[in-house]
Amino acid sequence: MEPMPQNTSSQEVYDAVVVGSGAGGGTAVHVLTAKGLKVALLEAGPMLDVATEFKEHKVPTDYDHRGAEEGGKSYFGQGKPFGFFSTTSGGWQLEGEPYTVGEGSQFQWFRSRILGGRTNHYGRMSFRFAEYDFKPYDKDGLGFNWPISYQDIAPYYDKAEEFIGVAGTRENVPSCPDGKFHAAPPPKVHEMLVKKACDKLGIICIANRRAVITKNLNGRAACHYCGQCGRGCQTASAYSSAQVQVFPAMKTGKLKVFDLAMVREVLTDNNGKATGVLYIDKKTRTEKIIKAKVVVLAASACESTRILLNSKSKEFPNGLANGSGMLGRYLMDTVGFGLSGTVPALEGMPHYNTDGYGGAHLFMPWWLWDKHNKLDFPRGYHIEIGGGYGMPSVGGYHGAARRFGYGANMKSKIRESYGTSIGFAGRGEMIPNIHSYCELDPNVVDKWGIPVLKFHFKWTDYEWKQARHMEKTFADIITTMGGKVSGLSASQRESQGISIPGTIIHEVGGARMGKSAKDSILNGYCQTHEMKNLFVMDGASFASNPDKNPTLTINALAWRACDYLAEEMKKGNV
Amino acid sequence: MSNFVPLETLDRRSLIRTIALGLTALGTLDVEAAQHVHTETAAEKAKGPYKVKTFTPAEYKTLQRLAVLIVPPDSVSGSALDAGAPEFIDTLASQNQQIADIFHGGLAWLDAEMRKRYSSTFVAAKPEQQTQMLDALVEAGRELAERQNEELVYQKSPIYKDFTGYTVRRANELGAGVAFFDWVRKMTVDAFYTSPIGFKDLNYIGNRALSRYVVPAEAMDYAMKRSPFA
């Protein structure tokens, strides 16, 4: 790369520069600094101030707008994603940082811009991939095998779980291998009804597995069961990479964090090596360079892909590490479908505190892993449960108010129906397909002058049929509980029975790993086939997207990649 | 289970402070915790009598009356007026001209309609006239919603898709009032249920720090006995 006139290049050469501070980047800086490496971490958003950012334990009347946001934005659909109290910092659209979508496609890209990224607010579901998840092509001839096996990653699932802390129970279910668990909290009442219904229907229903600690760990206090993980956890009892990995790594003196640093491209020399990254310092709108012996991209699946696509040169006209032309290909999201109902058995129940450790205390892993010959779709899904006496919030009673009119009758009807609803969300595996990918939009740049991504995405029959199976299953569970299925929500009608691609926020792939440089970008250690000192340690590496939420596997893969990277550095191979 | 302090009985304010103390005892995150207490205390600003920012005295009186009609007091809890619904609407209207316009216009429509029907403003009318008016709006709202569903069915059907005549909305003379009532109702309901009075009405008892999570047996037994699994 030619030096840019604005560069104010620092002379310091780091052992590694890590781009992105979420699950992958957080793990990378923790593992690499623990090994004594000198690391620079770049985050496109600001530093995280836990005290001001996290609205844990707040109630609506702490704010004049009660959560409707300044000027009542939420009444016009302009509020924060997941509501005012959620600690999301970013969203589906970022001011000045657009993306485009190809004709005939739908895709929504959620980006977080703050230290810790999406780990500040994510659901903390932490499921290991099963053995069969690493060899899906061998199972049904669809998609691609991973270049690694369960046995390769199992020790790193152990390390990741032991370090970030995951509560759960050992169950010996082949579709969802056991891990190193903290004690799981007991099931709530509506969940016990669900479990009874599942027992009748032959569906496995077990303790949920979430990245929340139930005993003290490394100076983090055990969960205090306020149920507000999505608002950020002041005590770091719920895992977030900022609190659990980045802040402690900063204390080692080995880590320097550059915030508001938007990386445009990876820099290379003439010897086929990465030399650092070029970023836009958002505070001053100037281009700057960080030099490092190793470059680790962990900016999120699509953002890392974008950086590689934008790292063009004479030698690499299609972007870096892209000799195969596979960069951006086989983008995947999770198949989502939800259904809710009301349960008469819960009416009039003595109220109790249903907050728990945030999210449901039970879930249903895929239970038909050996019955695919009897199904009309190839891959599985797990089921998440919603219900209980949640904190009353703005918007929570509009539907009921319309249904019941006004006055004393409405008031008592809302009171009686409070906490009697149950909801189910299916999270299923999609098959990677050639219609789902991202590329650079040749006509659009963001406000930093960086070319933006253009998305193309299609669900196929595999996903549609899976969603229909979810619909029937959820209806069966609700009626088996003696409940009544409610109508589809407006957003479900809009998308006609399957989630809009991207909206489950499990987008992975784009720089997938594989055995051969001919058809993949990375090897099994998240190292690019073409450049020994360039790694991608986020969801971009995924060769498939099993129904297990991706974060824990990103943690484990990044940990494994860092062990390998440090070894290779010692040997002088990197 | 842990050396974390048991906190079941504390209110939120004490809870935050105790968490802060607990953290300091653990030797971690003390700065952040201290900051949290500080922020929390600052948020508990003393409240004097509310000064109306957006609405005229007549408009505000109408909002107050509507608040009582929409969520009236009963043996369990107070009204939406007690819960500060008019203040909530006035505050947001003062920050957003669009909301202000919806309410200025809607309240004017309501008084105009009341004059036509009862030769009186809404506030000055008899209680039964006020509820007759609201009943008429609820009824018209239901009719409009049904019609809209009907129209959506027509629009979605391939048979009817070229027959635009079926999708023409038939006018309802109360249409503007229905739209306004929907606004005043949803904001009133929001203000009510998000208040301490609303929390009490629903008997919401979460948002506490617990050293241990327990599901009461009486709740479990209650639901199981009434379920198909009894």
Side-chain angles (χ1 to χ4, degrees):
Chain A
M1 287 290 138
E2 286 169 7
M4 301 286 178
Q6 285 177 301
N7 285 345
T8 49
S9 170
S10 102
Q11 293 307 300
E12 183 145 26
V13 179
Y14 292 88
D15 291 322
V17 57
V18 176
V19 181
S21 62
T27 303
V29 300
H30 160 237
V31 176
L32 294 176
T33 54
K35 289 176 188 297
L37 271 62
K38 212 158 159 248
V39 181
L41 172 65
L42 277 66
E43 162 55 47
M47 282 299 288
L48 171 70
D49 180 348
V50 171
T52 55
E53 202 67 35
F54 289 179
K55 298 187 185 72
E56 186 185 357
H57 301 298
K58 295 279 188 190
V59 293
T61 42
D62 288 335
Y63 303 88
D64 286 343
H65 59 64
R66 306 279 182 99
E69 299 186 45
E70 182 79 12
K73 277 189 211 162
S74 75
Y75 289 112
F76 301 93
Q78 293 155 359
K80 280 177 69 176
F82 316 116
F84 170 73
F85 289 96
S86 162
T87 189
T88 51
S89 189
W92 307 106
Q93 297 295 337
L94 298 180
E95 178 81 35
E97 298 182 13
Y99 56 89
T100 62
V101 179
E103 216 183 305
S105 280
Q106 272 190 309
F107 192 82
Q108 292 188 28
W109 187 20
F110 193 102
R111 289 164 293 171
S112 196
R113 291 280 187 266
I114 195 158
L115 194 82
R118 293 176 282 190
T119 66
N120 287 311
H121 64 84
Y122 84 121
R124 272 89 178 183
M125 302 297 193
S126 303
F127 309 128
R128 293 183 174 207
F129 287 12
E131 288 198 29
Y132 65 72
D133 285 326
F134 290 94
K135 307 293 168 195
Y137 180 82
D138 291 350
K139 196 168 184 234
D140 55 26
L142 297 168
F144 312 99
N145 287 340
W146 292 61
I148 57 171
S149 67
Y150 180 77
Q151 282 67 33
D152 292 325
I153 197 176
Y156 289 94
Y157 275 138
D158 288 353
K159 281 174 193 271
E161 285 161 348
E162 281 174 340
F163 187 74
I164 71 176
V166 176
T169 51
R170 299 183 66 79
E171 302 284 348
N172 204 23
V173 175
S175 65
C176 206
D178 294 329
K180 306 272 184 183
F181 296 134
H182 283 217
K188 302 170 208 173
V189 176
H190 61 280
E191 294 167 345
M192 275 311 286
L193 292 175
V194 171
K195 183 168 171 52
K196 295 267 183 192
C198 287
D199 288 349
K200 261 197 171 168
L201 295 166
I203 298 168
I204 298 170
C205 181
I206 57 177
N208 205 351
R209 295 168 179 183
R210 298 183 69 249
V212 173
I213 54 175
T214 54
K215 58 178 191 241
N216 295 348
L217 177 68
N218 300 331
R220 296 159 61 200
C223 177
H224 54 271
Y225 306 104
C226 75
Q228 297 183 343
C229 311
R231 299 179 174 199
C233 183
Q234 301 263 1
T235 59
S237 312
Y239 163 70
S240 88
S241 59
Q243 293 163 289
V244 175
Q245 293 164 323
V246 180
F247 291 157
M250 286 166 83
K251 286 185 186 154
T252 66
K254 293 283 178 189
L255 177 67
K256 177 145 191 196
V257 178
F258 296 82
D259 67 341
L260 295 167
M262 180 83 181
V263 172
R264 188 176 76 197
E265 59 190 86
V266 176
L267 303 174
T268 55
D269 62 14
N270 298 322
N271 306 316
K273 278 202 149 190
T275 57
V277 295
L278 185 152
Y279 71 96
I280 314 296
D281 178 358
K282 289 183 171 178
K283 288 171 253 187
T284 57
R285 283 197 69 91
T286 53
E287 291 180 4
K288 290 184 179 171
I289 282 173
I290 300 271
K291 291 178 186 164
K293 293 175 193 159
V294 175
V295 173
V296 174
L297 299 182
S300 83
C302 299
E303 203 73 74
S304 290
T305 299
R306 178 185 177 200
I307 292 168
L308 290 175
L309 285 166
N310 273 320
S311 304
K312 290 181 195 172
S313 62
K314 261 185 216 149
E315 300 102 300
F316 306 107
N318 301 320
L320 214 51
N322 193 22
S324 62
M326 294 300 294
L327 205 50
R329 301 278 145 178
Y330 299 111
L331 187 62
M332 295 163 276
D333 189 25
T334 290
V335 179
F337 179 79
L339 197 68
S340 59
T342 52
V343 183
L346 298 171
E347 285 168 15
M349 183 166 76
H351 289 194
Y352 68 101
N353 183 342
T354 57
D355 289 346
Y357 83 148
H361 288 187
L362 298 181
F363 88 112
M364 290 81 104
W366 179 233
W367 66 102
L368 299 171
W369 65 86
D370 55 353
K371 305 263 184 335
H372 277 283
N373 53 346
K374 290 179 187 151
L375 300 169
D376 65 352
F377 60 97
R379 302 281 170 82
Y381 60 89
H382 77 260
I383 309 172
E384 300 175 5
I385 308 168
Y389 304 105
M391 185 186 289
S393 64
V394 163
Y397 306 93
H398 295 179
R402 280 186 195 120
R403 205 154 50 247
F404 302 126
Y406 71 98
N409 175 56
M410 179 198 78
K411 194 182 178 190
S412 65
K413 285 276 173 35
I414 288 177
R415 192 184 295 142
E416 287 158 21
S417 59
Y418 176 56
T420 63
S421 298
I422 185 110
F424 297 93
R427 295 288 177 259
E429 175 172 1
M430 95 178 257
I431 307 287
N433 69 60
I434 55 164
H435 306 293
S436 301
Y437 63 99
C438 58
E439 58 182 350
L440 291 181
D441 189 320
N443 303 315
V444 184
V445 295
D446 65 14
K447 72 172 170 186
W448 314 109
I450 307 172
V452 309
L453 286 179
K454 181 172 190 173
F455 290 95
H456 307 266
F457 208 97
K458 288 239 173 353
W459 295 127
T460 69
D461 261 8
Y462 298 134
E463 289 79 38
W464 278 95
K465 285 178 175 162
Q466 185 190 58
R468 297 290 65 74
H469 192 271
M470 292 178 186
E471 187 170 11
K472 185 180 179 310
T473 302
F474 302 167
D476 285 348
I477 297 173
I478 293 167
T479 49
T480 305
M481 292 167 73
K484 194 166 154 264
V485 176
S486 306
L488 292 184
S489 74
S491 63
Q492 283 167 342
R493 269 195 219 103
E494 186 191 340
S495 55
Q496 297 173 316
I498 193 166
S499 55
I500 293 170
T503 57
I504 306 300
I505 322 185
H506 291 170
E507 77 284 356
V508 295
R512 72 184 172 92
M513 55 167 69
K515 280 207 164 111
S516 162
K518 281 187 202 137
D519 64 359
S520 63
I521 307 296
L522 306 174
N523 65 20
Y525 292 104
C526 301
Q527 181 183 34
T528 60
H529 290 298
E530 294 172 23
M531 202 160 270
K532 293 282 173 220
N533 68 338
L534 176 59
F535 290 74
V536 182
M537 298 192 193
D538 54 33
S541 70
F542 283 31
S544 71
N545 191 12
D547 68 83
K548 289 83 186 182
N549 309 33
T551 305
L552 180 68
T553 299
I554 293 173
N555 292 135
L557 285 173
W559 201 313
R560 182 168 182 267
C562 288
D563 272 3
Y564 170 82
L565 150 61
E567 255 339 279
E568 289 292 287
M569 270 183 117
K570 251 190 235 161
K571 290 182 199 159
N573 293 339
V574 166
Chain B
M1 177 149 189
S2 75
N3 65 14
F4 199 55
V5 258
L7 301 165
E8 282 86 345
T9 54
L10 299 179
D11 64 13
R12 187 173 51 86
R13 211 178 321 160
S14 336
L15 144 65
I16 302 294
R17 294 203 178 110
T18 315
I19 284 177
L21 289 174
L23 286 172
T24 313
L26 283 169
T28 56
L29 294 176
D30 46 350
V31 177
E32 284 92 333
Q35 179 60 39
H36 189 184
V37 175
H38 177 79
T39 313
E40 186 66 20
T41 312
E44 289 161 12
K45 50 188 184 289
K47 282 188 177 166
Y50 184 76
K51 281 202 188 99
V52 183
K53 301 191 249 310
T54 312
F55 298 108
T56 64
E59 285 174 326
Y60 201 69
K61 268 191 193 132
T62 313
L63 284 179
Q64 289 177 315
R65 179 64 189 144
L66 283 166
V68 174
L69 287 167
I70 290 168
V71 185
D74 62 10
S75 60
V76 178
S77 66
S79 72
L81 176 61
D82 302 328
E87 290 151 40
F88 171 67
I89 295 170
D90 182 67
T91 300
L92 293 193
S94 76
Q95 297 165 353
N96 184 339
Q97 192 58 40
Q98 207 175 339
I99 293 178
D101 290 346
I102 288 166
F103 279 85
H104 287 311
L107 290 164
W109 179 93
L110 185 62
D111 273 345
E113 186 66 24
M114 289 298 287
R115 279 192 206 97
K116 261 191 251 169
R117 292 181 177 228
Y118 309 110
S119 305
S120 164
T121 61
F122 187 81
V123 169
K126 291 177 188 150
E128 59 269 27
Q129 294 172 330
Q130 294 171 336
T131 51
Q132 275 167 18
M133 181 73 250
L134 297 191
D135 289 343
L137 290 173
V138 168
E139 191 48 42
R142 291 212 172 108
E143 205 178 292
L144 280 169
E146 271 167 35
R147 214 178 278 172
Q148 203 177 1
N149 286 340
E150 219 171 275
E151 284 155 4
L152 280 176
V153 171
Y154 284 132
Q155 283 165 1
K156 279 200 172 166
S157 160
I159 305 167
Y160 293 110
K161 76 172 185 226
D162 297 326
F163 292 80
T164 51
Y166 285 103
T167 67
V168 169
R169 289 207 183 158
R170 286 161 288 179
N172 183 315
E173 59 171 16
L174 295 179
V178 169
F180 166 65
F181 185 62
D182 196 54
W183 270 99
V184 71
R185 178 173 56 189
K186 72 183 174 192
M187 291 185 73
T188 300
V189 163
D190 281 343
F192 178 75
Y193 287 108
T194 57
S195 72
I197 298 171
F199 278 23
K200 180 174 164 277
D201 181 85
L202 294 176
N203 192 17
Y204 164 70
I205 45 185
N207 194 32
R208 286 154 205 246
L210 312 171
S211 58
R212 203 158 68 91
Y213 184 74
V214 182
V215 176
E218 61 159 348
M220 191 68 85
D221 293 346
Y222 178 97
M224 283 301 159
K225 274 189 196 138
R226 284 161 181 78
S227 78
F229 315 114

